[in-house]
Amino acid sequence: VFGLCQVLPLLHVMHDASHTAIGHTESSYKFWGQLTLDWMAGCSMLSWHHQHTIGHHVYTNVYGADPDLPAGGEPRRFVERQKWAAIYQWQWLYMPVLYGLLAFKVRV
């Protein structure tokens, strides 16, 4: 239940704020983004903006440039350019479980 209560504002309000799609002024984007990400999730809206909006959206799915794609040593394979490992044949089974465990990830 806690994960659901946290993910809904993050997926909607914070994501829209990070893309300047909520409100009509810069102060409203900052307010909603910081309220949901900084205060509710304990993360940084500024870091999210630089990593996701600037990094990911400029280089979406470009291997080696998109910060959302794994660089190596990850149990998931997103693009064909990633080196194949035998464990990837089972990612359809284990990745839903690992994604579910992200709710317990602690940010230091």
Side-chain angles (χ1 to χ4, degrees), residues 37-104:
L37 195 61
D38 293 8
W39 292 100
M40 292 178 71
C43 300
S44 169
M45 184 66 182
L46 182 63
S47 294
W48 171 265
H49 179 72
H50 284 282
Q51 185 272 335
H52 180 76
T53 309
I54 295 172
H56 169 69
H57 282 283
V58 173
Y59 301 105
T60 305
N61 295 334
V62 176
Y63 186 69
D66 185 346
D68 284 354
L69 290 179
E74 290 256 351
R76 55 193 175 158
R77 185 172 188 239
F78 284 107
V79 294
E80 290 181 10
R81 292 187 62 194
Q82 281 180 264
K83 188 176 178 181
W84 175 258
I87 195 166
Y88 295 146
Q89 68 182 331
W90 305 108
Q91 75 179 11
W92 64 278
L93 289 173
Y94 63 78
M95 284 313 298
V97 175
L98 292 179
Y99 281 130
L101 292 174
L102 282 176
F104 300 107

Coordinates of all heavy atoms in Angstrom, one line a residue, residues 37-104:
L37 N 8.7 14.9 -5.3 CA 9.9 14.1 -5.4 C 10.8 14.4 -4.2 O 11.3 13.5 -3.5 CB 10.7 14.4 -6.7 CG 11.8 13.4 -7.0 CD1 11.2 12.0 -7.1 CD2 12.5 13.8 -8.2
D38 N 11.1 15.7 -3.9 CA 12.0 16.0 -2.8 C 11.4 15.7 -1.4 O 12.0 15.1 -0.5 CB 12.4 17.5 -2.8 CG 13.2 17.9 -4.0 OD1 13.4 17.0 -4.9 OD2 13.7 19.0 -4.0
W39 N 10.1 16.1 -1.2 CA 9.5 15.9 0.1 C 8.9 14.5 0.3 O 9.0 13.9 1.4 CB 8.5 17.0 0.4 CG 9.2 18.3 0.6 CD1 9.3 19.3 -0.4 CD2 9.9 18.8 1.7 NE1 10.1 20.3 0.1 CE2 10.5 20.1 1.4 CE3 10.2 18.3 2.9 CZ2 11.2 20.8 2.2 CZ3 11.0 19.0 3.8 CH2 11.5 20.2 3.5
M40 N 8.2 14.0 -0.7 CA 7.4 12.8 -0.5 C 8.4 11.6 -0.7 O 8.2 10.5 0.0 CB 6.3 12.7 -1.4 CG 5.1 13.6 -1.1 SD 3.8 13.6 -2.3 CE 3.1 12.0 -1.9
A41 N 9.3 11.6 -1.7 CA 10.1 10.5 -2.0 C 11.5 10.6 -1.4 O 12.3 9.6 -1.4 CB 10.2 10.3 -3.5
G42 N 11.9 11.8 -1.0 CA 13.3 11.9 -0.4 C 14.4 11.9 -1.5 O 15.5 11.6 -1.2
C43 N 14.0 12.3 -2.7 CA 15.0 12.3 -3.8 C 15.2 13.8 -4.2 O 14.8 14.7 -3.5 CB 14.5 11.6 -5.0 SG 14.1 9.8 -4.7
S44 N 15.9 14.0 -5.3 CA 16.2 15.4 -5.7 C 15.5 15.6 -7.1 O 15.8 15.0 -8.1 CB 17.7 15.6 -5.9 OG 17.9 16.8 -6.5
M45 N 14.6 16.7 -7.2 CA 14.0 17.0 -8.4 C 15.1 17.5 -9.4 O 15.0 17.2 -10.6 CB 12.9 18.1 -8.2 CG 12.2 18.5 -9.4 SD 11.2 17.1 -10.0 CE 10.4 17.8 -11.4
L46 N 16.1 18.2 -8.9 CA 17.1 18.7 -9.8 C 17.9 17.6 -10.5 O 18.1 17.6 -11.7 CB 18.0 19.7 -9.0 CG 19.2 20.3 -9.9 CD1 18.6 21.2 -10.9 CD2 20.1 21.1 -8.9
S47 N 18.2 16.6 -9.6 CA 19.0 15.4 -10.2 C 18.1 14.7 -11.2 O 18.6 14.2 -12.2 CB 19.4 14.5 -9.1 OG 20.3 15.1 -8.2
W48 N 16.8 14.5 -10.9 CA 15.9 13.8 -11.8 C 15.8 14.6 -13.1 O 15.9 14.0 -14.2 CB 14.5 13.7 -11.1 CG 13.5 13.2 -12.1 CD1 12.6 14.0 -12.9 CD2 13.2 11.9 -12.5 NE1 11.8 13.2 -13.7 CE2 12.2 11.9 -13.5 CE3 13.7 10.7 -12.1 CZ2 11.6 10.8 -14.0 CZ3 13.1 9.5 -12.7 CH2 12.1 9.6 -13.6
H49 N 15.7 15.9 -13.0 CA 15.6 16.7 -14.2 C 16.8 16.5 -15.1 O 16.7 16.3 -16.3 CB 15.4 18.2 -13.9 CG 15.3 19.0 -15.1 ND1 14.2 19.1 -15.9 CD2 16.2 19.9 -15.6 CE1 14.4 19.9 -16.9 NE2 15.6 20.4 -16.8
H50 N 18.0 16.5 -14.5 CA 19.2 16.4 -15.3 C 19.4 15.0 -15.9 O 19.7 14.8 -17.0 CB 20.4 16.8 -14.5 CG 20.6 18.3 -14.4 ND1 21.0 19.1 -15.4 CD2 20.2 19.1 -13.4 CE1 21.0 20.3 -15.0 NE2 20.5 20.4 -13.8
Q51 N 19.1 14.0 -15.0 CA 19.3 12.6 -15.5 C 18.2 12.1 -16.4 O 18.5 11.6 -17.5 CB 19.3 11.7 -14.2 CG 19.6 10.2 -14.6 CD 18.4 9.4 -14.9 OE1 17.3 9.7 -14.6 NE2 18.6 8.3 -15.7
H52 N 17.0 12.4 -16.1 CA 15.9 11.8 -16.9 C 15.5 12.8 -18.1 O 15.6 12.3 -19.3 CB 14.7 11.6 -16.1 CG 13.5 11.0 -16.8 ND1 13.4 9.7 -17.2 CD2 12.4 11.6 -17.3 CE1 12.3 9.5 -17.9 NE2 11.7 10.7 -18.0
T53 N 15.2 14.0 -17.8 CA 14.7 14.9 -18.8 C 15.8 15.3 -19.8 O 15.6 15.2 -21.0 CB 14.0 16.1 -18.2 OG1 13.1 15.7 -17.2 CG2 13.3 17.0 -19.3
I54 N 16.9 15.7 -19.3 CA 18.0 16.1 -20.2 C 18.8 14.9 -20.7 O 19.0 14.8 -21.9 CB 18.9 17.1 -19.5 CG1 18.2 18.4 -19.1 CG2 20.2 17.4 -20.3 CD1 18.9 19.3 -18.3
G55 N 19.1 13.9 -19.9 CA 19.9 12.8 -20.3 C 19.1 11.8 -21.1 O 19.5 11.4 -22.2
H56 N 18.0 11.3 -20.5 CA 17.3 10.2 -21.2 C 16.5 10.7 -22.4 O 16.5 10.0 -23.4 CB 16.3 9.6 -20.2 CG 15.3 8.6 -20.8 ND1 15.7 7.4 -21.3 CD2 14.0 8.8 -20.9 CE1 14.6 6.8 -21.8 NE2 13.5 7.6 -21.6
H57 N 15.8 11.8 -22.3 CA 15.0 12.2 -23.4 C 15.8 12.7 -24.6 O 15.3 12.7 -25.8 CB 14.0 13.3 -23.0 CG 12.8 12.6 -22.3 ND1 11.8 12.0 -22.9 CD2 12.5 12.5 -21.0 CE1 10.9 11.5 -22.1 NE2 11.4 11.8 -20.8
V58 N 17.0 13.1 -24.4 CA 17.9 13.5 -25.5 C 18.4 12.3 -26.2 O 18.6 12.2 -27.4 CB 19.0 14.5 -25.1 CG1 20.0 14.7 -26.2 CG2 18.4 15.8 -24.5
Y59 N 18.8 11.3 -25.4 CA 19.4 10.0 -26.0 C 18.6 8.8 -25.7 O 19.1 7.8 -25.3 CB 20.8 9.9 -25.3 CG 21.7 11.0 -25.6 CD1 22.0 11.9 -24.6 CD2 22.3 11.2 -26.8 CE1 22.8 13.0 -24.8 CE2 23.1 12.3 -27.0 CZ 23.4 13.2 -26.0 OH 24.2 14.2 -26.2
T60 N 17.3 8.9 -25.9 CA 16.4 7.7 -25.6 C 16.8 6.5 -26.3 O 16.9 6.4 -27.6 CB 14.9 8.1 -26.0 OG1 14.6 9.3 -25.3 CG2 14.0 7.0 -25.6
N61 N 17.1 5.4 -25.5 CA 17.5 4.1 -26.0 C 18.7 4.1 -26.9 O 18.9 3.2 -27.7 CB 16.3 3.4 -26.7 CG 15.2 3.1 -25.8 OD1 15.4 3.0 -24.6 ND2 14.0 3.1 -26.3
V62 N 19.6 5.1 -26.7 CA 20.9 5.1 -27.4 C 21.9 4.4 -26.5 O 22.3 5.0 -25.4 CB 21.4 6.5 -27.8 CG1 22.7 6.4 -28.5 CG2 20.3 7.1 -28.7
Y63 N 22.4 3.2 -26.8 CA 23.2 2.5 -26.0 C 24.6 3.2 -25.7 O 25.2 3.7 -26.7 CB 23.5 1.1 -26.6 CG 24.3 0.2 -25.6 CD1 23.8 -0.3 -24.5 CD2 25.6 -0.1 -25.9 CE1 24.5 -1.1 -23.6 CE2 26.3 -1.0 -25.1 CZ 25.8 -1.4 -23.9 OH 26.5 -2.2 -23.1
G64 N 24.9 3.4 -24.5 CA 26.2 4.1 -24.2 C 25.9 5.6 -23.9 O 26.8 6.2 -23.3
A65 N 24.8 6.1 -24.2 CA 24.5 7.5 -24.0 C 23.3 7.7 -23.1 O 23.2 8.7 -22.3 CB 24.3 8.2 -25.3
D66 N 22.3 6.9 -23.2 CA 21.0 7.0 -22.4 C 21.3 6.5 -21.0 O 21.7 5.4 -20.7 CB 19.9 6.1 -23.0 CG 18.6 6.3 -22.3 OD1 18.6 6.8 -21.2 OD2 17.6 5.8 -22.8
P67 N 21.2 7.5 -20.0 CA 21.5 7.1 -18.6 C 20.5 6.1 -18.0 O 20.8 5.5 -17.0 CB 21.5 8.4 -17.8 CG 20.7 9.3 -18.7 CD 20.8 8.9 -20.1
D68 N 19.4 5.9 -18.6 CA 18.4 4.9 -18.1 C 18.7 3.5 -18.6 O 18.1 2.5 -18.1 CB 17.0 5.3 -18.6 CG 16.5 6.4 -17.8 OD1 17.1 6.8 -16.8 OD2 15.4 6.9 -18.1
L69 N 19.7 3.3 -19.6 CA 20.0 2.0 -20.0 C 21.2 1.5 -19.2 O 22.1 2.2 -18.8 CB 20.4 2.0 -21.5 CG 19.3 2.2 -22.5 CD1 19.9 2.2 -23.9 CD2 18.3 1.2 -22.4
P70 N 21.2 0.2 -18.9 CA 22.3 -0.4 -18.0 C 23.6 -0.3 -18.8 O 23.7 -0.5 -20.0 CB 21.9 -1.8 -17.8 CG 20.9 -2.1 -18.8 CD 20.2 -0.8 -19.2
A71 N 24.7 0.0 -18.1 CA 26.0 0.1 -18.7 C 26.8 -1.2 -18.6 O 27.8 -1.3 -19.2 CB 26.8 1.2 -18.0
G72 N 26.3 -2.1 -17.9 CA 27.0 -3.4 -17.7 C 26.8 -3.9 -16.3 O 26.6 -3.2 -15.4
G73 N 26.9 -5.2 -16.1 CA 26.8 -5.8 -14.8 C 25.3 -5.8 -14.3 O 25.1 -5.9 -13.1
E74 N 24.4 -5.6 -15.2 CA 23.0 -5.6 -14.8 C 22.3 -6.9 -15.2 O 22.7 -7.6 -16.1 CB 22.3 -4.4 -15.6 CG 22.7 -3.1 -15.2 CD 21.6 -2.4 -14.3 OE1 20.5 -2.9 -14.2 OE2 21.9 -1.3 -13.8
P75 N 21.2 -7.2 -14.4 CA 20.5 -8.5 -14.7 C 19.5 -8.3 -15.8 O 18.7 -9.2 -16.0 CB 19.9 -8.9 -13.4 CG 19.6 -7.5 -12.8 CD 20.8 -6.6 -13.2
R76 N 19.5 -7.2 -16.5 CA 18.4 -7.0 -17.5 C 19.1 -6.5 -18.8 O 20.1 -5.9 -18.9 CB 17.4 -5.9 -17.0 CG 18.1 -4.6 -16.6 CD 17.2 -3.7 -15.9 NE 18.0 -2.6 -15.5 CZ 17.5 -1.4 -15.2 NH1 16.3 -1.2 -15.2 NH2 18.3 -0.4 -14.8
R77 N 18.4 -6.8 -19.9 CA 18.9 -6.5 -21.3 C 17.8 -5.7 -22.0 O 16.7 -6.2 -22.1 CB 19.3 -7.7 -22.0 CG 19.9 -7.4 -23.4 CD 20.4 -8.7 -24.0 NE 21.2 -8.5 -25.2 CZ 20.9 -8.9 -26.4 NH1 19.8 -9.7 -26.5 NH2 21.6 -8.7 -27.5
F78 N 18.1 -4.5 -22.4 CA 17.2 -3.6 -23.0 C 17.3 -3.6 -24.5 O 16.4 -3.5 -25.3 CB 17.2 -2.2 -22.5 CG 16.6 -2.1 -21.1 CD1 17.4 -1.9 -20.0 CD2 15.2 -2.1 -21.0 CE1 16.8 -1.8 -18.8 CE2 14.7 -2.0 -19.7 CZ 15.5 -1.8 -18.6
V79 N 18.6 -3.5 -25.0 CA 18.8 -3.3 -26.4 C 19.7 -4.4 -26.9 O 20.5 -5.0 -26.2 CB 19.5 -1.9 -26.7 CG1 18.5 -0.8 -26.4 CG2 20.7 -1.7 -25.9
E80 N 19.7 -4.6 -28.2 CA 20.4 -5.7 -28.8 C 21.9 -5.5 -28.8 O 22.7 -6.4 -28.8 CB 20.0 -5.9 -30.3 CG 18.6 -6.4 -30.5 CD 18.2 -6.7 -31.9 OE1 19.1 -6.5 -32.8 OE2 17.0 -6.9 -32.1
R81 N 22.4 -4.2 -28.6 CA 23.8 -3.9 -28.6 C 24.5 -4.3 -27.3 O 25.7 -4.4 -27.2 CB 24.0 -2.4 -28.8 CG 23.7 -2.0 -30.3 CD 24.1 -0.6 -30.6 NE 25.5 -0.5 -30.4 CZ 26.1 0.7 -30.4 NH1 25.4 1.8 -30.4 NH2 27.4 0.8 -30.2
Q82 N 23.6 -4.6 -26.3 CA 24.2 -5.1 -25.0 C 24.7 -6.5 -25.2 O 24.1 -7.3 -25.9 CB 23.1 -5.2 -23.9 CG 22.8 -3.8 -23.3 CD 21.8 -3.9 -22.3 OE1 20.6 -3.7 -22.5 NE2 22.1 -4.3 -21.1
K83 N 25.9 -6.8 -24.6 CA 26.5 -8.1 -24.8 C 25.5 -9.2 -24.1 O 25.0 -9.0 -23.1 CB 27.8 -8.1 -24.1 CG 28.6 -9.4 -24.3 CD 30.0 -9.3 -23.7 CE 30.7 -10.6 -23.9 NZ 32.0 -10.6 -23.3
W84 N 25.3 -10.2 -24.8 CA 24.4 -11.3 -24.4 C 25.0 -12.1 -23.3 O 26.2 -12.4 -23.2 CB 24.1 -12.2 -25.5 CG 23.2 -13.4 -25.1 CD1 23.7 -14.7 -24.9 CD2 21.8 -13.4 -24.8 NE1 22.6 -15.5 -24.5 CE2 21.5 -14.7 -24.5 CE3 20.9 -12.4 -24.9 CZ2 20.2 -15.0 -24.1 CZ3 19.6 -12.8 -24.5 CH2 19.2 -14.1 -24.2
A85 N 24.2 -12.4 -22.3 CA 24.6 -13.3 -21.2 C 23.4 -14.3 -21.0 O 22.3 -14.0 -21.3 CB 24.7 -12.5 -19.9
A86 N 23.7 -15.5 -20.7 CA 22.8 -16.6 -20.6 C 21.6 -16.3 -19.7 O 20.5 -16.7 -19.9 CB 23.4 -17.9 -20.2
I87 N 21.9 -15.5 -18.6 CA 20.8 -15.2 -17.6 C 19.7 -14.3 -18.3 O 18.5 -14.4 -17.8 CB 21.4 -14.5 -16.4 CG1 20.4 -14.5 -15.3 CG2 21.9 -13.0 -16.7 CD1 20.9 -14.1 -13.9
Y88 N 20.0 -13.6 -19.3 CA 18.9 -12.8 -20.0 C 17.7 -13.6 -20.5 O 16.7 -13.0 -20.6 CB 19.5 -11.9 -21.1 CG 20.5 -10.9 -20.6 CD1 21.6 -10.6 -21.4 CD2 20.4 -10.3 -19.4 CE1 22.5 -9.7 -21.0 CE2 21.3 -9.4 -19.0 CZ 22.4 -9.1 -19.8 OH 23.3 -8.1 -19.4
Q89 N 17.9 -14.9 -20.8 CA 16.8 -15.7 -21.3 C 15.7 -15.8 -20.2 O 14.6 -16.2 -20.6 CB 17.3 -17.0 -21.8 CG 17.8 -17.9 -20.7 CD 18.4 -19.2 -21.2 OE1 17.9 -19.7 -22.3 NE2 19.3 -19.8 -20.5
W90 N 16.1 -15.6 -19.0 CA 15.1 -15.7 -17.9 C 14.6 -14.4 -17.3 O 13.9 -14.4 -16.4 CB 15.7 -16.6 -16.8 CG 16.3 -17.9 -17.2 CD1 17.6 -18.2 -17.4 CD2 15.5 -19.0 -17.6 NE1 17.7 -19.5 -17.8 CE2 16.4 -20.0 -18.0 CE3 14.1 -19.2 -17.7 CZ2 16.0 -21.2 -18.5 CZ3 13.7 -20.5 -18.2 CH2 14.7 -21.5 -18.6
Q91 N 15.0 -13.3 -17.9 CA 14.6 -12.0 -17.4 C 13.1 -11.8 -17.4 O 12.6 -11.1 -16.5 CB 15.3 -10.9 -18.0 CG 14.9 -10.5 -19.4 CD 15.7 -9.3 -19.9 OE1 16.7 -8.9 -19.4 NE2 15.2 -8.7 -21.0
W92 N 12.4 -12.5 -18.2 CA 10.9 -12.3 -18.2 C 10.3 -12.9 -16.9 O 9.2 -12.6 -16.5 CB 10.3 -13.0 -19.4 CG 10.5 -14.5 -19.5 CD1 11.6 -15.1 -20.0 CD2 9.6 -15.5 -19.1 NE1 11.5 -16.5 -19.9 CE2 10.2 -16.7 -19.3 CE3 8.3 -15.5 -18.6 CZ2 9.6 -17.9 -19.1 CZ3 7.7 -16.7 -18.3 CH2 8.4 -17.9 -18.5
L93 N 11.1 -13.8 -16.2 CA 10.6 -14.4 -15.0 C 11.1 -13.6 -13.7 O 10.3 -13.3 -12.8 CB 11.1 -15.8 -14.8 CG 10.5 -16.8 -15.7 CD1 11.2 -18.2 -15.6 CD2 9.0 -17.0 -15.4
Y94 N 12.4 -13.2 -13.7 CA 12.9 -12.6 -12.5 C 12.8 -11.1 -12.5 O 12.8 -10.5 -11.4 CB 14.4 -13.0 -12.3 CG 15.4 -12.6 -13.3 CD1 15.9 -11.3 -13.4 CD2 15.9 -13.5 -14.2 CE1 16.8 -11.0 -14.3 CE2 16.8 -13.2 -15.2 CZ 17.3 -11.9 -15.2 OH 18.2 -11.6 -16.2
M95 N 12.7 -10.4 -13.6 CA 12.6 -8.9 -13.6 C 11.4 -8.4 -12.9 O 11.4 -7.4 -12.2 CB 12.8 -8.3 -14.9 CG 14.3 -8.3 -15.4 SD 15.5 -7.8 -14.2 CE 15.0 -6.1 -14.0
P96 N 10.2 -9.0 -13.1 CA 9.0 -8.4 -12.3 C 9.2 -8.5 -10.8 O 8.8 -7.6 -10.1 CB 7.9 -9.4 -12.8 CG 8.3 -9.8 -14.1 CD 9.8 -10.0 -14.1
V97 N 9.9 -9.5 -10.3 CA 10.2 -9.7 -8.9 C 11.2 -8.6 -8.5 O 11.0 -7.9 -7.5 CB 10.7 -11.1 -8.6 CG1 11.1 -11.1 -7.1 CG2 9.7 -12.1 -8.9
L98 N 12.2 -8.4 -9.2 CA 13.2 -7.4 -8.9 C 12.6 -6.0 -9.0 O 12.9 -5.1 -8.1 CB 14.4 -7.5 -9.8 CG 15.3 -8.7 -9.7 CD1 16.4 -8.7 -10.6 CD2 15.8 -8.8 -8.2
Y99 N 11.8 -5.7 -10.0 CA 11.1 -4.4 -10.0 C 10.2 -4.2 -8.8 O 10.1 -3.1 -8.3 CB 10.3 -4.2 -11.3 CG 11.2 -3.9 -12.5 CD1 11.1 -4.6 -13.7 CD2 12.1 -2.8 -12.5 CE1 11.9 -4.3 -14.8 CE2 12.9 -2.5 -13.6 CZ 12.8 -3.2 -14.7 OH 13.5 -2.9 -15.8
G100 N 9.6 -5.2 -8.4 CA 8.7 -5.1 -7.2 C 9.5 -4.8 -5.9 O 9.1 -4.1 -5.0
L101 N 10.8 -5.3 -5.9 CA 11.6 -5.0 -4.7 C 12.2 -3.6 -4.7 O 12.7 -3.1 -3.7 CB 12.8 -6.0 -4.7 CG 12.4 -7.4 -4.4 CD1 13.6 -8.4 -4.5 CD2 11.8 -7.6 -3.0
L102 N 12.1 -2.8 -5.8 CA 12.6 -1.5 -5.9 C 11.8 -0.6 -4.8 O 12.4 0.5 -4.4 CB 12.4 -0.9 -7.3 CG 13.4 -1.3 -8.3 CD1 13.0 -0.7 -9.7 CD2 14.8 -0.8 -7.9
A103 N 10.6 -1.0 -4.4 CA 9.9 -0.2 -3.4 C 10.7 -0.1 -2.1 O 10.5 0.8 -1.3 CB 8.5 -0.8 -3.2
F104 N 11.6 -1.1 -1.9 CA 12.4 -1.2 -0.6 C 13.8 -0.6 -0.8 O 14.6 -0.6 0.2 CB 12.5 -2.6 -0.2 CG 11.2 -3.2 0.1 CD1 10.7 -4.2 -0.8 CD2 10.4 -2.9 1.2 CE1 9.4 -4.8 -0.5 CE2 9.2 -3.4 1.4 CZ 8.7 -4.4 0.6

